Amino acid sequence: MKDNRRRLPQNIALIGFMGCGKSSTGRRLASAFNYQYVDTDILIEEKTGMSVTDYFSFYGEEAFRALEHETIISLEGLNGVVIATGGGTPLNPDNVSSLRKHCTIIWLSASPEVTLRRVGDRNSRPLLRDSNDPLQTIIDMFQLREPIYCATADKRIDTSIFQQIDTIRQIKRWLKDAGWHQANH
Ligand code: S3P
């Protein structure tokens, strides 16, 4: 985890694996702070006019990652936002550098088992859809991604053990303790 003594930026970015609750937590957090909620997958869908799943199928992951990067960069300059990122966003170090310029980054983690339960409808998750053993696929992806999430985040909240309302409470408490200030916007 990064050094929390840096002055924490006013925007908040949520990172973490599919199904960790970035979108639902992000919406509630935004409303709690009177912030704007931004979901990078939704921005991509609006831009392309296609679902992320269809975009993956037609153009492939590399094209998706390029769009994801453009989208992340386009958020620089915003003030008073909670950003829900895609599960793969931190894999690109340039995305991380961009987010770190203006966001306090919170990693919502969950165990592989909880993740599998939460992503129940795998059809909307192109990277899991075709797996014969989704739990093993999740475990393999975790091995690759967890160190990256860990190195990227200012704070980890394990959502496996909390109801969403408690996750929000945990985030708010940590932000307060870390001296975070809400944006005047
Ligand atoms: C991805 C996660 C998805 C979406 C895309 C790739 C990933 O977002 O960006 O399917 O690489 O983990 P969610 O984490 O919101 O499901």
mmCIF file of all heavy atoms in Angstrom, residues 6-14 29 33 35-36 38 75-83 98-106 154 174-175 180-185:
data_model
loop_
_atom_site.group_PDB
_atom_site.id
_atom_site.type_symbol
_atom_site.label_atom_id
_atom_site.label_comp_id
_atom_site.label_asym_id
_atom_site.label_seq_id
_atom_site.Cartn_x
_atom_site.Cartn_y
_atom_site.Cartn_z
ATOM 1 N N ARG A 6 1.022 11.175 1.993
ATOM 2 C CA ARG A 6 0.869 12.166 0.929
ATOM 3 C C ARG A 6 -0.493 12.824 1.131
ATOM 4 O O ARG A 6 -1.401 12.208 1.697
ATOM 5 C CB ARG A 6 0.957 11.494 -0.453
ATOM 6 C CG ARG A 6 -0.294 10.790 -0.918
ATOM 7 C CD ARG A 6 -0.068 10.062 -2.242
ATOM 8 N NE ARG A 6 -1.229 9.236 -2.560
ATOM 9 C CZ ARG A 6 -2.035 9.451 -3.582
ATOM 10 N NH1 ARG A 6 -1.863 10.476 -4.383
ATOM 11 N NH2 ARG A 6 -3.051 8.641 -3.812
ATOM 12 N N ARG A 7 -0.620 14.064 0.691
ATOM 13 C CA ARG A 7 -1.906 14.738 0.845
ATOM 14 C C ARG A 7 -2.904 14.011 -0.050
ATOM 15 O O ARG A 7 -2.693 13.882 -1.253
ATOM 16 C CB ARG A 7 -1.768 16.202 0.420
ATOM 17 C CG ARG A 7 -2.972 17.006 0.791
ATOM 18 C CD ARG A 7 -2.751 18.493 0.554
ATOM 19 N NE ARG A 7 -3.937 19.214 0.970
ATOM 20 C CZ ARG A 7 -5.036 19.274 0.237
ATOM 21 N NH1 ARG A 7 -5.104 18.690 -0.930
ATOM 22 N NH2 ARG A 7 -6.088 19.949 0.691
ATOM 23 N N LEU A 8 -3.966 13.515 0.549
ATOM 24 C CA LEU A 8 -4.878 12.672 -0.227
ATOM 25 C C LEU A 8 -5.700 13.518 -1.195
ATOM 26 O O LEU A 8 -6.361 14.466 -0.775
ATOM 27 C CB LEU A 8 -5.810 11.917 0.717
ATOM 28 C CG LEU A 8 -5.134 10.837 1.560
ATOM 29 C CD1 LEU A 8 -6.091 10.320 2.629
ATOM 30 C CD2 LEU A 8 -4.653 9.688 0.697
ATOM 31 N N PRO A 9 -5.665 13.184 -2.478
ATOM 32 C CA PRO A 9 -6.447 13.945 -3.457
ATOM 33 C C PRO A 9 -7.944 13.834 -3.190
ATOM 34 O O PRO A 9 -8.415 12.879 -2.566
ATOM 35 C CB PRO A 9 -6.076 13.291 -4.787
ATOM 36 C CG PRO A 9 -4.801 12.576 -4.549
ATOM 37 C CD PRO A 9 -4.832 12.156 -3.114
ATOM 38 N N GLN A 10 -8.683 14.837 -3.677
ATOM 39 C CA GLN A 10 -10.099 14.957 -3.309
ATOM 40 C C GLN A 10 -11.025 14.006 -4.058
ATOM 41 O O GLN A 10 -12.095 13.684 -3.573
ATOM 42 C CB GLN A 10 -10.535 16.403 -3.518
ATOM 43 C CG GLN A 10 -9.801 17.335 -2.539
ATOM 44 C CD GLN A 10 -10.126 18.795 -2.779
ATOM 45 O OE1 GLN A 10 -10.327 19.200 -3.909
ATOM 46 N NE2 GLN A 10 -10.178 19.558 -1.716
ATOM 47 N N ASN A 11 -10.636 13.612 -5.255
ATOM 48 C CA ASN A 11 -11.475 12.622 -5.938
ATOM 49 C C ASN A 11 -11.187 11.233 -5.374
ATOM 50 O O ASN A 11 -10.128 10.999 -4.797
ATOM 51 C CB ASN A 11 -11.195 12.623 -7.440
ATOM 52 C CG ASN A 11 -11.606 13.935 -8.088
ATOM 53 O OD1 ASN A 11 -12.526 14.589 -7.609
ATOM 54 N ND2 ASN A 11 -10.930 14.309 -9.158
ATOM 55 N N ILE A 12 -12.137 10.332 -5.589
ATOM 56 C CA ILE A 12 -11.934 8.971 -5.095
ATOM 57 C C ILE A 12 -12.073 8.000 -6.268
ATOM 58 O O ILE A 12 -13.036 8.086 -7.037
ATOM 59 C CB ILE A 12 -12.977 8.628 -4.019
ATOM 60 C CG1 ILE A 12 -12.714 9.511 -2.809
ATOM 61 C CG2 ILE A 12 -12.944 7.155 -3.637
ATOM 62 C CD1 ILE A 12 -13.694 9.342 -1.699
ATOM 63 N N ALA A 13 -11.102 7.100 -6.392
ATOM 64 C CA ALA A 13 -11.214 6.043 -7.406
ATOM 65 C C ALA A 13 -11.313 4.703 -6.682
ATOM 66 O O ALA A 13 -10.560 4.446 -5.732
ATOM 67 C CB ALA A 13 -9.992 6.052 -8.321
ATOM 68 N N LEU A 14 -12.250 3.899 -7.127
ATOM 69 C CA LEU A 14 -12.392 2.552 -6.577
ATOM 70 C C LEU A 14 -11.807 1.570 -7.573
ATOM 71 O O LEU A 14 -12.134 1.609 -8.768
ATOM 72 C CB LEU A 14 -13.876 2.239 -6.342
ATOM 73 C CG LEU A 14 -14.594 3.180 -5.372
ATOM 74 C CD1 LEU A 14 -16.072 2.818 -5.264
ATOM 75 C CD2 LEU A 14 -13.940 3.152 -3.988
ATOM 76 N N LEU A 29 -21.278 6.126 -2.315
ATOM 77 C CA LEU A 29 -20.255 7.025 -1.779
ATOM 78 C C LEU A 29 -20.408 8.418 -2.402
ATOM 79 O O LEU A 29 -20.317 9.434 -1.714
ATOM 80 C CB LEU A 29 -18.880 6.439 -2.122
ATOM 81 C CG LEU A 29 -17.711 6.725 -1.215
ATOM 82 C CD1 LEU A 29 -18.021 6.361 0.227
ATOM 83 C CD2 LEU A 29 -16.487 5.944 -1.694
ATOM 84 N N PHE A 33 -21.172 11.996 -0.417
ATOM 85 C CA PHE A 33 -20.306 13.189 -0.440
ATOM 86 C C PHE A 33 -20.841 14.289 -1.349
ATOM 87 O O PHE A 33 -20.168 15.287 -1.574
ATOM 88 C CB PHE A 33 -18.892 12.814 -0.910
ATOM 89 C CG PHE A 33 -18.133 11.957 0.059
ATOM 90 C CD1 PHE A 33 -17.401 10.859 -0.379
ATOM 91 C CD2 PHE A 33 -18.139 12.255 1.417
ATOM 92 C CE1 PHE A 33 -16.692 10.066 0.510
ATOM 93 C CE2 PHE A 33 -17.429 11.473 2.310
ATOM 94 C CZ PHE A 33 -16.707 10.375 1.861
ATOM 95 N N TYR A 35 -20.961 14.038 -4.472
ATOM 96 C CA TYR A 35 -20.003 13.997 -5.568
ATOM 97 C C TYR A 35 -20.711 13.447 -6.814
ATOM 98 O O TYR A 35 -21.759 12.795 -6.720
ATOM 99 C CB TYR A 35 -18.850 13.025 -5.233
ATOM 100 C CG TYR A 35 -17.646 13.643 -4.558
ATOM 101 C CD1 TYR A 35 -17.749 14.803 -3.800
ATOM 102 C CD2 TYR A 35 -16.397 13.040 -4.665
ATOM 103 C CE1 TYR A 35 -16.627 15.345 -3.182
ATOM 104 C CE2 TYR A 35 -15.277 13.571 -4.057
ATOM 105 C CZ TYR A 35 -15.393 14.732 -3.323
ATOM 106 O OH TYR A 35 -14.286 15.260 -2.718
ATOM 107 N N GLN A 36 -20.074 13.690 -7.957
ATOM 108 C CA GLN A 36 -20.571 13.091 -9.202
ATOM 109 C C GLN A 36 -20.040 11.647 -9.274
ATOM 110 O O GLN A 36 -18.901 11.394 -8.864
ATOM 111 C CB GLN A 36 -20.034 13.916 -10.364
ATOM 112 C CG GLN A 36 -20.584 13.564 -11.714
ATOM 113 C CD GLN A 36 -19.756 14.209 -12.830
ATOM 114 O OE1 GLN A 36 -19.034 15.174 -12.603
ATOM 115 N NE2 GLN A 36 -19.853 13.638 -14.010
ATOM 116 N N VAL A 38 -18.857 8.522 -11.563
ATOM 117 C CA VAL A 38 -18.382 8.225 -12.918
ATOM 118 C C VAL A 38 -17.967 6.757 -12.977
ATOM 119 O O VAL A 38 -17.219 6.290 -12.115
ATOM 120 C CB VAL A 38 -17.144 9.099 -13.263
ATOM 121 C CG1 VAL A 38 -16.560 8.710 -14.601
ATOM 122 C CG2 VAL A 38 -17.494 10.575 -13.254
ATOM 123 N N LEU A 75 -10.434 11.815 -17.521
ATOM 124 C CA LEU A 75 -11.002 12.198 -16.227
ATOM 125 C C LEU A 75 -10.118 13.195 -15.464
ATOM 126 O O LEU A 75 -10.555 13.780 -14.485
ATOM 127 C CB LEU A 75 -11.219 10.951 -15.356
ATOM 128 C CG LEU A 75 -12.110 9.873 -15.987
ATOM 129 C CD1 LEU A 75 -12.207 8.657 -15.084
ATOM 130 C CD2 LEU A 75 -13.501 10.423 -16.263
ATOM 131 N N GLU A 76 -8.876 13.362 -15.941
ATOM 132 C CA GLU A 76 -7.978 14.311 -15.270
ATOM 133 C C GLU A 76 -8.607 15.699 -15.382
ATOM 134 O O GLU A 76 -9.119 16.051 -16.432
ATOM 135 C CB GLU A 76 -6.587 14.299 -15.930
ATOM 136 C CG GLU A 76 -5.820 13.020 -15.650
ATOM 137 C CD GLU A 76 -4.417 13.010 -16.271
ATOM 138 O OE1 GLU A 76 -3.897 14.065 -16.660
ATOM 139 O OE2 GLU A 76 -3.849 11.900 -16.382
ATOM 140 N N GLY A 77 -8.599 16.435 -14.291
ATOM 141 C CA GLY A 77 -9.200 17.775 -14.333
ATOM 142 C C GLY A 77 -10.580 17.811 -13.697
ATOM 143 O O GLY A 77 -11.107 18.880 -13.423
ATOM 144 N N LEU A 78 -11.179 16.648 -13.473
ATOM 145 C CA LEU A 78 -12.478 16.636 -12.786
ATOM 146 C C LEU A 78 -12.271 16.906 -11.292
ATOM 147 O O LEU A 78 -11.229 16.600 -10.733
ATOM 148 C CB LEU A 78 -13.179 15.288 -12.963
ATOM 149 C CG LEU A 78 -13.662 14.947 -14.370
ATOM 150 C CD1 LEU A 78 -14.400 13.614 -14.360
ATOM 151 C CD2 LEU A 78 -14.558 16.047 -14.923
ATOM 152 N N ASN A 79 -13.302 17.428 -10.689
ATOM 153 C CA ASN A 79 -13.209 17.750 -9.262
ATOM 154 C C ASN A 79 -14.517 17.331 -8.584
ATOM 155 O O ASN A 79 -15.594 17.668 -9.069
ATOM 156 C CB ASN A 79 -13.006 19.267 -9.122
ATOM 157 C CG ASN A 79 -12.610 19.648 -7.716
ATOM 158 O OD1 ASN A 79 -11.943 18.877 -7.031
ATOM 159 N ND2 ASN A 79 -13.031 20.817 -7.278
ATOM 160 N N GLY A 80 -14.412 16.580 -7.493
ATOM 161 C CA GLY A 80 -15.624 16.155 -6.788
ATOM 162 C C GLY A 80 -16.280 14.956 -7.440
ATOM 163 O O GLY A 80 -17.481 14.947 -7.686
ATOM 164 N N VAL A 81 -15.482 13.935 -7.747
ATOM 165 C CA VAL A 81 -16.031 12.727 -8.381
ATOM 166 C C VAL A 81 -15.595 11.455 -7.654
ATOM 167 O O VAL A 81 -14.499 11.391 -7.085
ATOM 168 C CB VAL A 81 -15.596 12.571 -9.875
ATOM 169 C CG1 VAL A 81 -16.319 13.535 -10.774
ATOM 170 C CG2 VAL A 81 -14.108 12.671 -10.053
ATOM 171 N N VAL A 82 -16.474 10.478 -7.688
ATOM 172 C CA VAL A 82 -16.115 9.107 -7.316
ATOM 173 C C VAL A 82 -16.085 8.317 -8.620
ATOM 174 O O VAL A 82 -17.057 8.324 -9.374
ATOM 175 C CB VAL A 82 -17.147 8.485 -6.359
ATOM 176 C CG1 VAL A 82 -16.807 7.016 -6.101
ATOM 177 C CG2 VAL A 82 -17.200 9.243 -5.036
ATOM 178 N N ILE A 83 -14.965 7.662 -8.865
ATOM 179 C CA ILE A 83 -14.782 6.937 -10.126
ATOM 180 C C ILE A 83 -14.758 5.434 -9.858
ATOM 181 O O ILE A 83 -13.929 4.950 -9.074
ATOM 182 C CB ILE A 83 -13.446 7.342 -10.798
ATOM 183 C CG1 ILE A 83 -13.424 8.853 -11.064
ATOM 184 C CG2 ILE A 83 -13.228 6.558 -12.091
ATOM 185 C CD1 ILE A 83 -12.032 9.389 -11.405
ATOM 186 N N SER A 98 -2.089 8.236 -13.910
ATOM 187 C CA SER A 98 -3.121 9.243 -14.163
ATOM 188 C C SER A 98 -4.066 9.348 -12.963
ATOM 189 O O SER A 98 -4.319 10.442 -12.461
ATOM 190 C CB SER A 98 -3.877 8.865 -15.442
ATOM 191 O OG SER A 98 -4.995 9.696 -15.607
ATOM 192 N N LEU A 99 -4.543 8.226 -12.482
ATOM 193 C CA LEU A 99 -5.484 8.251 -11.347
ATOM 194 C C LEU A 99 -4.837 8.852 -10.109
ATOM 195 O O LEU A 99 -5.456 9.615 -9.365
ATOM 196 C CB LEU A 99 -5.976 6.836 -11.031
ATOM 197 C CG LEU A 99 -6.951 6.212 -12.034
ATOM 198 C CD1 LEU A 99 -7.203 4.747 -11.699
ATOM 199 C CD2 LEU A 99 -8.280 6.977 -12.068
ATOM 200 N N ARG A 100 -3.570 8.518 -9.919
ATOM 201 C CA ARG A 100 -2.902 9.004 -8.699
ATOM 202 C C ARG A 100 -2.725 10.522 -8.677
ATOM 203 O O ARG A 100 -2.580 11.106 -7.618
ATOM 204 C CB ARG A 100 -1.550 8.311 -8.510
ATOM 205 C CG ARG A 100 -1.712 6.886 -8.012
ATOM 206 C CD ARG A 100 -0.379 6.237 -7.668
ATOM 207 N NE ARG A 100 0.269 6.839 -6.521
ATOM 208 C CZ ARG A 100 -0.108 6.648 -5.251
ATOM 209 N NH1 ARG A 100 -1.132 5.874 -4.985
ATOM 210 N NH2 ARG A 100 0.550 7.223 -4.265
ATOM 211 N N LYS A 101 -2.776 11.144 -9.853
ATOM 212 C CA LYS A 101 -2.641 12.613 -9.882
ATOM 213 C C LYS A 101 -3.810 13.280 -9.175
ATOM 214 O O LYS A 101 -3.662 14.360 -8.640
ATOM 215 C CB LYS A 101 -2.640 13.108 -11.335
ATOM 216 C CG LYS A 101 -1.376 12.867 -12.081
ATOM 217 C CD LYS A 101 -1.499 13.506 -13.463
ATOM 218 C CE LYS A 101 -0.501 12.875 -14.413
ATOM 219 N NZ LYS A 101 -0.838 13.115 -15.814
ATOM 220 N N HIS A 102 -4.988 12.661 -9.231
ATOM 221 C CA HIS A 102 -6.159 13.410 -8.720
ATOM 222 C C HIS A 102 -7.093 12.574 -7.839
ATOM 223 O O HIS A 102 -8.141 13.070 -7.441
ATOM 224 C CB HIS A 102 -6.945 14.021 -9.898
ATOM 225 C CG HIS A 102 -7.538 13.028 -10.855
ATOM 226 N ND1 HIS A 102 -8.886 12.773 -10.890
ATOM 227 C CD2 HIS A 102 -6.981 12.231 -11.787
ATOM 228 C CE1 HIS A 102 -9.115 11.869 -11.827
ATOM 229 N NE2 HIS A 102 -7.978 11.515 -12.379
ATOM 230 N N CYS A 103 -6.697 11.318 -7.571
ATOM 231 C CA CYS A 103 -7.624 10.462 -6.812
ATOM 232 C C CYS A 103 -6.958 9.826 -5.597
ATOM 233 O O CYS A 103 -5.800 9.403 -5.657
ATOM 234 C CB CYS A 103 -8.118 9.292 -7.673
ATOM 235 S SG CYS A 103 -9.085 9.772 -9.085
ATOM 236 N N THR A 104 -7.714 9.713 -4.542
ATOM 237 C CA THR A 104 -7.390 8.796 -3.457
ATOM 238 C C THR A 104 -7.931 7.442 -3.932
ATOM 239 O O THR A 104 -9.081 7.341 -4.350
ATOM 240 C CB THR A 104 -8.104 9.233 -2.161
ATOM 241 O OG1 THR A 104 -7.576 10.501 -1.796
ATOM 242 C CG2 THR A 104 -7.900 8.235 -1.036
ATOM 243 N N ILE A 105 -7.073 6.427 -3.883
ATOM 244 C CA ILE A 105 -7.446 5.162 -4.534
ATOM 245 C C ILE A 105 -7.757 4.100 -3.477
ATOM 246 O O ILE A 105 -6.922 3.800 -2.618
ATOM 247 C CB ILE A 105 -6.309 4.685 -5.472
ATOM 248 C CG1 ILE A 105 -5.998 5.782 -6.506
ATOM 249 C CG2 ILE A 105 -6.717 3.390 -6.172
ATOM 250 C CD1 ILE A 105 -4.839 5.454 -7.446
ATOM 251 N N ILE A 106 -8.954 3.572 -3.566
ATOM 252 C CA ILE A 106 -9.394 2.576 -2.586
ATOM 253 C C ILE A 106 -9.655 1.253 -3.307
ATOM 254 O O ILE A 106 -10.364 1.208 -4.317
ATOM 255 C CB ILE A 106 -10.658 3.067 -1.851
ATOM 256 C CG1 ILE A 106 -10.299 4.347 -1.081
ATOM 257 C CG2 ILE A 106 -11.203 1.993 -0.909
ATOM 258 C CD1 ILE A 106 -11.453 5.043 -0.424
ATOM 259 N N ASP A 154 -4.307 3.328 -1.926
ATOM 260 C CA ASP A 154 -3.991 3.986 -0.657
ATOM 261 C C ASP A 154 -4.589 3.194 0.497
ATOM 262 O O ASP A 154 -4.099 3.257 1.621
ATOM 263 C CB ASP A 154 -4.602 5.392 -0.648
ATOM 264 C CG ASP A 154 -3.960 6.283 -1.688
ATOM 265 O OD1 ASP A 154 -2.758 6.548 -1.559
ATOM 266 O OD2 ASP A 154 -4.646 6.694 -2.641
ATOM 267 N N TRP A 174 -12.010 5.719 7.421
ATOM 268 C CA TRP A 174 -10.597 5.779 7.050
ATOM 269 C C TRP A 174 -10.246 7.149 6.460
ATOM 270 O O TRP A 174 -9.214 7.734 6.808
ATOM 271 C CB TRP A 174 -10.244 4.665 6.047
ATOM 272 C CG TRP A 174 -8.828 4.819 5.588
ATOM 273 C CD1 TRP A 174 -7.695 4.505 6.298
ATOM 274 C CD2 TRP A 174 -8.393 5.420 4.373
ATOM 275 N NE1 TRP A 174 -6.581 4.861 5.582
ATOM 276 C CE2 TRP A 174 -6.975 5.414 4.400
ATOM 277 C CE3 TRP A 174 -9.044 5.934 3.251
ATOM 278 C CZ2 TRP A 174 -6.212 5.919 3.354
ATOM 279 C CZ3 TRP A 174 -8.279 6.449 2.214
ATOM 280 C CH2 TRP A 174 -6.885 6.440 2.263
ATOM 281 N N LEU A 175 -11.115 7.658 5.595
ATOM 282 C CA LEU A 175 -10.838 8.960 4.968
ATOM 283 C C LEU A 175 -10.693 10.040 6.044
ATOM 284 O O LEU A 175 -9.789 10.868 5.993
ATOM 285 C CB LEU A 175 -11.963 9.338 3.998
ATOM 286 C CG LEU A 175 -11.998 8.553 2.676
ATOM 287 C CD1 LEU A 175 -13.290 8.828 1.921
ATOM 288 C CD2 LEU A 175 -10.795 8.897 1.798
ATOM 289 N N TRP A 180 -8.440 13.244 5.032
ATOM 290 C CA TRP A 180 -8.942 13.566 3.687
ATOM 291 C C TRP A 180 -9.952 14.704 3.752
ATOM 292 O O TRP A 180 -10.736 14.782 4.700
ATOM 293 C CB TRP A 180 -9.615 12.313 3.102
ATOM 294 C CG TRP A 180 -10.214 12.479 1.741
ATOM 295 C CD1 TRP A 180 -9.550 12.413 0.548
ATOM 296 C CD2 TRP A 180 -11.602 12.665 1.419
ATOM 297 N NE1 TRP A 180 -10.444 12.558 -0.488
ATOM 298 C CE2 TRP A 180 -11.706 12.718 0.021
ATOM 299 C CE3 TRP A 180 -12.770 12.806 2.176
ATOM 300 C CZ2 TRP A 180 -12.916 12.883 -0.645
ATOM 301 C CZ3 TRP A 180 -13.983 12.978 1.515
ATOM 302 C CH2 TRP A 180 -14.046 13.015 0.122
ATOM 303 N N HIS A 181 -9.895 15.593 2.741
ATOM 304 C CA HIS A 181 -10.872 16.690 2.698
ATOM 305 C C HIS A 181 -11.722 16.584 1.450
ATOM 306 O O HIS A 181 -11.207 16.396 0.352
ATOM 307 C CB HIS A 181 -10.166 18.050 2.711
ATOM 308 C CG HIS A 181 -9.500 18.313 4.019
ATOM 309 N ND1 HIS A 181 -10.211 18.618 5.155
ATOM 310 C CD2 HIS A 181 -8.198 18.276 4.378
ATOM 311 C CE1 HIS A 181 -9.365 18.769 6.154
ATOM 312 N NE2 HIS A 181 -8.141 18.552 5.720
ATOM 313 N N GLN A 182 -12.993 16.730 1.664
ATOM 314 C CA GLN A 182 -13.948 16.701 0.557
ATOM 315 C C GLN A 182 -13.725 17.923 -0.338
ATOM 316 O O GLN A 182 -13.359 18.983 0.154
ATOM 317 C CB GLN A 182 -15.342 16.769 1.179
ATOM 318 C CG GLN A 182 -16.444 16.334 0.279
ATOM 319 C CD GLN A 182 -17.729 16.159 1.084
ATOM 320 O OE1 GLN A 182 -17.693 15.887 2.286
ATOM 321 N NE2 GLN A 182 -18.859 16.316 0.427
ATOM 322 N N ALA A 183 -13.957 17.741 -1.648
ATOM 323 C CA ALA A 183 -13.770 18.859 -2.564
ATOM 324 C C ALA A 183 -14.853 19.914 -2.384
ATOM 325 O O ALA A 183 -15.995 19.580 -2.122
ATOM 326 C CB ALA A 183 -13.804 18.337 -4.008
ATOM 327 N N ASN A 184 -14.463 21.174 -2.551
ATOM 328 C CA ASN A 184 -15.459 22.248 -2.664
ATOM 329 C C ASN A 184 -15.738 22.377 -4.149
ATOM 330 O O ASN A 184 -14.880 22.789 -4.897
ATOM 331 C CB ASN A 184 -14.865 23.586 -2.199
ATOM 332 C CG ASN A 184 -14.770 23.614 -0.702
ATOM 333 O OD1 ASN A 184 -15.658 23.099 -0.023
ATOM 334 N ND2 ASN A 184 -13.698 24.197 -0.186
ATOM 335 N N HIS A 185 -16.891 22.002 -4.562
ATOM 336 C CA HIS A 185 -17.135 22.054 -6.012
ATOM 337 C C HIS A 185 -18.516 22.585 -6.297
ATOM 338 O O HIS A 185 -19.280 22.825 -5.375
ATOM 339 C CB HIS A 185 -16.949 20.664 -6.641
ATOM 340 C CG HIS A 185 -17.825 19.606 -6.038
ATOM 341 N ND1 HIS A 185 -18.991 19.181 -6.604
ATOM 342 C CD2 HIS A 185 -17.726 18.928 -4.863
ATOM 343 C CE1 HIS A 185 -19.552 18.258 -5.815
ATOM 344 N NE2 HIS A 185 -18.814 18.091 -4.780
#
